Amino acid sequence: MGMLWALGSIKDLVIVEFGPEGTTRYLLESLKHYHCEAEAKIFTTMMDQDVVVLGDSGRLLRTLSEVDEKYSPEFIVVMDSSVASVIGIDTEGLCREFQPRIKARLLPVTGGGLSGIWTGGLAAAMKLLAEIAAGKRIRGGAFNILGCCADEFNHRAEAEEIRQLLQGLFGVKINCILSAKASIDDCKAMGNADVNIVLRREALAAAQILQDRFGIPSVYGRPYGLEGTLRWVKQVEEAAGLRTDWESLAGRLARLKALIAGVKAAASSKSPKAVVIGGHPDTVIGLRSFIEDELGLPVHCYSS
């Protein structure tokens, strides 16, 4: 499901799942729960007893042929469902067998069994999308933001905040926000970037692929607090080789400094406060550092 959350956000991508319709329905409903809509075209083969009992793959070939003829996509992601995985369907082998009959490039994705957690699926999906990046690296003041995924609350708003911050500080454009605000063309253009901004650890494998293929350096982490934001900006500046427009950040930093001072004053004038944090490990680590080091509040228990 983590794979589907990440891949389902890619505009113009075509996904065919070899499985029952319930999995696809759950995907669409869970994306709504995250305040998202599927941007990809998602299809399911559905399954009957011939598939489950006998392993018949004809239904998958017919679905791929129909989708290929109707939409003429450049890529078709072919995913095995939990059912297909449990009964031992060889999705990669079937794609190799069917590829000569399908114009689109088939991208098999396996691992739809009943083990592991969703973050592994997110990492696999972003790695797959990084592998379709094409062309040669052209440095022209563009960044990629990697690791913006539907499972995190308000993920698109956070990515937009970082996009605006980068544009204000460095005057750059954003090639691709992977995966929540991206299209197939955005993914193909990921090689034309000065820096990859990696928001979460699940995107590190994708960033490594882009570094190996195109030589794009990465900055891993998010800006939290005053000192944390300054450290993050310095890291981006060094990786990109660009000069920071500190004047554009002056107003934001002044407001943040005043807010931090207000919180510290309020905390010192009342009974001691403690903070409990829960969430994704990267978010928890970043917030803990900010709360302890800059606000001076103890974090007695945190979840990651």
Side-chain angles (χ1 to χ4, degrees):
M1 195 52 59
M3 292 182 196
L4 286 168
W5 286 335
L7 296 174
S9 300
I10 305 299
K11 186 177 180 181
D12 302 325
L13 184 64
V14 173
I15 302 171
V16 172
E17 185 181 23
F18 193 14
E21 59 185 308
T23 308
T24 306
R25 172 51 54 190
Y26 181 81
L27 162 68
L28 298 176
E29 293 300 324
S30 61
L31 283 175
K32 290 181 181 178
H33 177 74
Y34 291 134
H35 307 289
C36 297
E37 294 286 344
E39 298 287 347
K41 295 181 176 67
I42 305 170
F43 303 90
T44 179
T45 61
M46 298 189 288
M47 284 186 164
D48 57 19
Q49 62 185 11
D50 289 338
V51 177
V52 177
V53 178
L54 303 175
D56 179 23
S57 59
R59 185 184 292 263
L60 176 59
L61 176 58
R62 290 193 297 273
T63 303
L64 291 172
S65 299
E66 291 173 6
V67 169
D68 189 45
E69 181 178 354
K70 183 173 182 178
Y71 295 99
S72 300
E74 184 174 358
F75 306 98
I76 299 178
V77 174
V78 185
M79 293 191 63
D80 61 352
S81 64
S82 297
V83 175
S85 179
V86 167
I87 65 177
I89 294 293
D90 182 7
T91 305
E92 292 182 340
L94 290 175
C95 285
R96 286 194 297 269
E97 178 184 343
F98 296 158
Q99 184 63 82
R101 288 176 268 182
I102 305 296
K103 296 178 183 177
R105 178 184 168 190
L106 300 180
L107 303 175
V109 176
T110 59
L114 301 176
S115 62
I117 60 174
W118 78 96
T119 53
L122 293 174
M126 286 186 281
K127 184 177 177 181
L128 175 70
L129 294 169
E131 288 172 346
I132 70 173
K136 297 181 179 180
R137 183 185 180 193
I138 301 174
R139 297 197 60 174
F143 287 13
N144 297 317
I145 298 176
L146 309 180
C148 175
C149 298
D151 65 310
E152 288 194 282
F153 176 74
N154 226 18
H155 59 290
R156 291 188 174 185
E158 182 164 345
E160 176 63 19
E161 180 78 10
I162 292 175
R163 183 191 69 80
Q164 292 180 10
L165 183 61
L166 291 170
Q167 287 185 330
L169 289 172
F170 302 106
V172 296
K173 65 178 182 178
I174 303 301
N175 258 357
C176 181
I177 300 179
L178 195 67
S179 65
K181 293 182 69 176
S183 66
I184 284 291
D185 287 341
D186 294 335
C187 294
K188 290 171 64 178
M190 282 195 289
N192 297 331
D194 294 345
V195 178
N196 293 317
I197 305 298
V198 181
L199 302 184
R200 56 189 292 176
R201 60 192 63 188
E202 287 78 21
L204 287 171
Q208 187 63 53
I209 289 173
L210 295 172
Q211 181 172 348
D212 293 343
R213 291 182 58 193
F214 303 101
I216 304 173
S218 298
V219 173
Y220 172 36
R222 313 184 199 191
Y224 289 106
L226 179 60
E227 295 176 8
T229 298
L230 293 175
R231 284 195 303 269
W232 182 82
V233 171
K234 282 291 187 183
Q235 289 177 326
V236 177
E237 184 181 54
E238 292 174 5
L242 298 173
R243 181 172 296 180
T244 304
D245 181 5
W246 289 106
E247 188 175 342
S248 69
L249 194 60
R252 185 192 297 258
L253 292 179
R255 291 191 298 272
L256 184 56
K257 188 175 182 179
L259 288 170
I260 290 173
V263 171
K264 293 177 70 173
S268 63
S269 64
K270 298 179 180 179
S271 58
K273 303 293 182 184
V275 179
V276 177
I277 311 173
H280 186 276
D282 292 322
T283 304
V284 168
I285 291 169
L287 284 175
R288 184 192 184 198
S289 176
F290 165 56
I291 292 169
E292 286 189 335
D293 298 341
E294 297 191 51
L295 296 183
L297 298 174
V299 179
H300 290 312
C301 177
Y302 65 98
S303 168
S304 60

